[in-house]
Amino acid sequence: MRCYRLKNLLKTLGYQATIYQRGAQAFPLSDCHHDWLVTLPNGLTSEDIVFIDSYEANHAFYTDVSKQAGQLFVFDDYHRIPYPPNAIIINGALGAKSLYKATQNCLAGIEYSLIDRIFLNTKKPKKYLRDLFIAFGGTDPLGYTQKVAKILQNSPYHLHIITPTPFEIPHNAPITLYSNLCAAQMAALMHRCDGAISAGGGTLIELAMAQVPTLIIPTASNQTFQAKNWENTGAMQISNLHALPQDLKALESVDKRAIMIAQYQNIPFGTLLASQLQAILTKPRSKR
């Protein structure tokens, strides 16, 4: 999804992009997809600009691409590996600037997040906590979605669960399952909900834009950094499966939710990314 948002942003800046992805086509667009980890460096020229968003590419791969292409951009979430010194690192996580040396070419921080403005919202807390948005990413290999559903199936809340794989729910349980939602549908659901339970991935930025008081249950070590930074704002809180019922009980307080919502004010979601990309892309590149 991040790559498709990037493609749309580049289009507004006057550039056409082609996405190369592995495996089955995730979106009904005409972009190529093949094993780009093997083939991408072959045939690149100094006229090519490459953006890489991967948890699999290694240092040697990035180095090969940086030597062939005119400019390399890297999406990074937690300073995964050392990147070539001439690469531009993009990390739109809250507080991401602290992960990198001041001398590095970085577009780091929430002002460089790649956003869809459809999620932006101004929320007022309702008297009661009723509708909960629940999402644990596109795969959820550890089954957190079903674990949370089981814990809360007899709760007074209506659970709106985004799940990659539908599962059986108890009869008459206040649970609605969703899959394959478009951005507009996802945003509308976030705007409707009074609170959220989420893993510590990119969905946190969308929930923050929608101003949803959120309990974070990190499901991987690389989510800890972003989760802690959001908790430090006071707008979100880190929880776990054991503490979840108690933390939700505390979230029933309208005053607590009002305080959490207020912390989302004045966060500069993605305000600098477009202008900085345009400045870099229009800068003359040396011939090789």
Side-chain angles (χ1 to χ4, degrees):
M1 180 58 74
R2 182 157 60 183
C3 290
Y4 280 90
R5 287 181 182 170
L6 172 65
K7 178 181 173 121
N8 291 334
L9 173 59
L10 290 173
K11 187 176 181 179
T12 68
L13 299 178
Y15 300 91
Q16 294 296 322
T18 299
I19 296 176
Y20 296 85
Q21 63 185 54
R22 303 183 71 189
Q25 190 91 4
F27 298 89
L29 299 177
S30 58
D31 295 306
C32 301
H33 56 99
H34 52 65
D35 196 350
W36 57 270
L37 279 170
V38 175
T39 61
L40 182 59
N42 300 325
L44 289 174
T45 73
S46 60
E47 300 299 317
D48 292 313
I49 299 168
V50 179
F51 291 80
I52 297 177
D53 187 352
S54 174
Y55 292 116
E56 300 177 29
N58 57 29
H59 179 74
F61 180 85
Y62 288 107
T63 300
D64 287 344
V65 172
S66 69
K67 290 178 179 178
Q68 300 297 325
Q71 182 66 67
L72 170 63
F73 292 83
V74 177
F75 280 104
D76 181 61
D77 293 317
Y78 58 102
H79 206 182
R80 184 173 65 91
I81 60 174
Y83 298 105
N86 60 335
I88 305 294
I89 299 172
I90 304 175
N91 185 335
L94 187 70
K97 190 174 182 179
S98 65
L99 292 172
Y100 308 98
K101 297 179 181 178
T103 56
Q104 289 183 298
N105 297 323
C106 291
L107 306 181
I110 197 70
E111 61 268 34
Y112 296 106
S113 55
L114 189 57
I115 66 168
D116 187 336
R117 298 187 64 82
I118 198 169
F119 287 92
L120 289 171
N121 183 44
T122 300
K123 185 180 288 291
K124 292 184 178 180
K126 300 174 187 174
K127 185 176 180 180
Y128 299 106
L129 180 70
R130 287 290 180 262
D131 293 288
L132 292 180
F133 176 97
I134 299 173
F136 284 91
T139 56
D140 188 20
L142 300 179
Y144 273 81
T145 306
Q146 294 189 49
K147 292 175 183 177
V148 169
K150 185 174 182 179
I151 291 171
L152 300 179
Q153 65 185 19
N154 295 318
S155 71
Y157 318 115
H158 187 151
L159 311 182
H160 300 272
I161 300 177
I162 312 298
T163 175
T165 306
F167 53 91
E168 290 189 13
I169 57 178
H171 182 63
N172 291 331
I175 298 174
T176 304
L177 303 181
Y178 306 81
S179 59
N180 300 317
L181 296 186
C182 68
Q185 292 170 321
M186 187 79 82
L189 188 57
M190 289 182 181
H191 295 169
R192 170 185 173 183
C193 287
D194 309 305
I197 303 166
S198 175
T203 302
L204 294 184
I205 293 180
E206 295 167 352
L207 287 166
M209 292 171 66
Q211 298 191 353
V212 186
T214 298
L215 299 178
I216 310 169
I217 301 180
T219 59
S221 59
N222 64 319
Q223 298 178 355
T224 302
F225 174 81
Q226 185 168 197
K228 286 184 176 179
N229 275 284
W230 279 114
E231 184 173 61
N232 288 340
T233 68
M236 298 183 180
Q237 178 184 336
I238 295 175
S239 185
N240 56 61
L241 295 178
H242 176 73
L244 186 59
Q246 179 180 347
D247 289 340
L248 280 172
K249 186 69 177 177
L251 205 62
E252 291 180 3
S253 166
V254 67
D255 291 335
K256 179 178 177 64
R257 281 181 282 125
I259 292 172
M260 295 175 78
I261 290 170
Q263 308 315 308
Y264 292 126
Q265 305 296 326
N266 302 318
I267 294 179
F269 297 102
T271 53
L272 297 182
L273 182 60
S275 61
Q276 289 298 308
L277 280 181
Q278 185 72 293
I280 295 169
L281 292 172
T282 55
K283 184 178 180 180
R285 295 184 295 277
S286 60
K287 299 290 184 180
R288 298 181 182 177

